[in-house]
Amino acid sequence: MPGLIGRKIGMTQIFDDDGKAVGVTVLEVGPCAVVQIKTVERDGYEAVQLGFGRVKEGRTRKPAAGHAARAGLDYVPRVLAEFDFEGEELELGQELTVDMFDVGSRVNVTGTTKGRGFQGVVKRHGFGGGRGSHGGTSILRAPGSIGAGTDPSRVIKGRKMAGRMGGTQRMAMSRKIIRVDAEKNLLIVQGSVPGGRNNLVMVRPGR
């Protein structure tokens, strides 16, 4: 089972059998068409390329349309992604749906975190900041000393400093599947998932 491409709908909460509120994330996953199957003989590795969504007919490019047509598709997927794949046979043009996941199993969800722009050390790394009295108004959110003395006379690599925050790829591992709605292509997983609403996510089987 390779995985599926989808998008994050948002977060909500549901109540379990014991009446406890459980925070969950709702994902719209699939259907994903098999666009290309890569083999060791031809490509040097095994993988399957899946497509998600549809590009408007007037916005399609000829190379993309030809690539999709070779798989027997009459549309161009909006997103293409590769998944490691070994095992059961797949056919070009075959559609994979959310039915491939079972309630209670675990999945790994990869997404892009929310971009926060350029931030200081207090927000980016949780620094406590400087003193608020005795003339310390200019050092409230300053990072403080970053040097390492005469030896080695340079800033050590990896020092926590101000910089670009967020907008990086992260994986939420071992999220438990709470519900599967095959009619609406919805996958409800326990806990949070990287990214904001409508962000693209990759869902792979976990442990």
Side-chain angles (χ1 to χ4, degrees):
M1 184 168 65
L4 288 177
I5 312 170
R7 67 186 183 97
K8 179 178 176 179
I9 302 295
M11 289 197 70
T12 183
Q13 66 177 13
I14 61 176
F15 295 91
D16 60 13
D17 297 335
D18 298 328
K20 295 181 180 179
V22 179
V24 296
T25 303
V26 182
L27 307 173
E28 181 187 356
V29 182
C32 297
V34 177
V35 181
Q36 186 178 9
I37 299 175
K38 301 202 172 185
T39 61
V40 176
E41 295 77 14
R42 186 178 65 243
D43 306 290
Y45 65 100
E46 288 188 353
V48 58
Q49 186 185 75
L50 302 180
F52 175 71
R54 296 190 177 207
V55 178
K56 291 182 180 179
E57 189 173 347
R59 294 178 178 270
T60 58
R61 306 268 181 169
K62 285 187 177 180
H67 183 61
R70 281 191 289 273
L73 303 178
D74 57 356
Y75 65 91
V76 176
R78 181 176 296 275
V79 180
L80 294 176
E82 280 190 7
F83 293 83
D84 294 334
F85 177 71
E86 294 178 2
E88 58 188 292
E89 292 293 329
L90 293 177
E91 298 179 356
L92 290 177
Q94 178 182 347
E95 276 200 343
L96 304 180
T97 64
V98 75
D99 286 335
M100 63 191 296
F101 296 110
D102 299 321
V103 175
S105 60
R106 303 273 178 171
V107 291
N108 298 332
V109 184
T110 304
T112 303
T113 61
K114 294 180 181 179
R116 303 299 185 185
F118 191 95
Q119 298 297 334
V121 293
V122 173
K123 180 170 182 175
R124 191 182 186 204
H125 299 296
F127 281 23
R131 60 183 180 270
S133 62
H134 296 283
T137 55
S138 62
I139 60 170
L140 286 176
R141 302 177 72 88
S145 175
I146 61 173
T150 304
D151 183 18
S153 294
R154 60 184 175 83
V155 178
I156 304 299
K157 288 184 178 180
R159 178 73 66 188
K160 292 181 178 179
M161 300 178 70
R164 181 172 175 265
M165 180 180 177
T168 56
Q169 192 177 81
R170 290 289 183 267
M171 178 186 290
M173 301 186 68
S174 193
R175 293 293 188 259
K176 184 179 180 180
I177 298 178
I178 304 299
R179 291 180 188 171
V180 176
D181 189 338
E183 293 184 2
K184 298 181 180 179
N185 299 314
L186 297 181
L187 191 69
I188 300 178
V189 298
Q190 185 174 358
S192 61
V193 165
R197 295 185 183 93
N198 296 317
N199 267 26
L200 194 70
V201 294
M202 308 293 172
V203 183
R204 296 177 173 87
R207 295 181 179 176

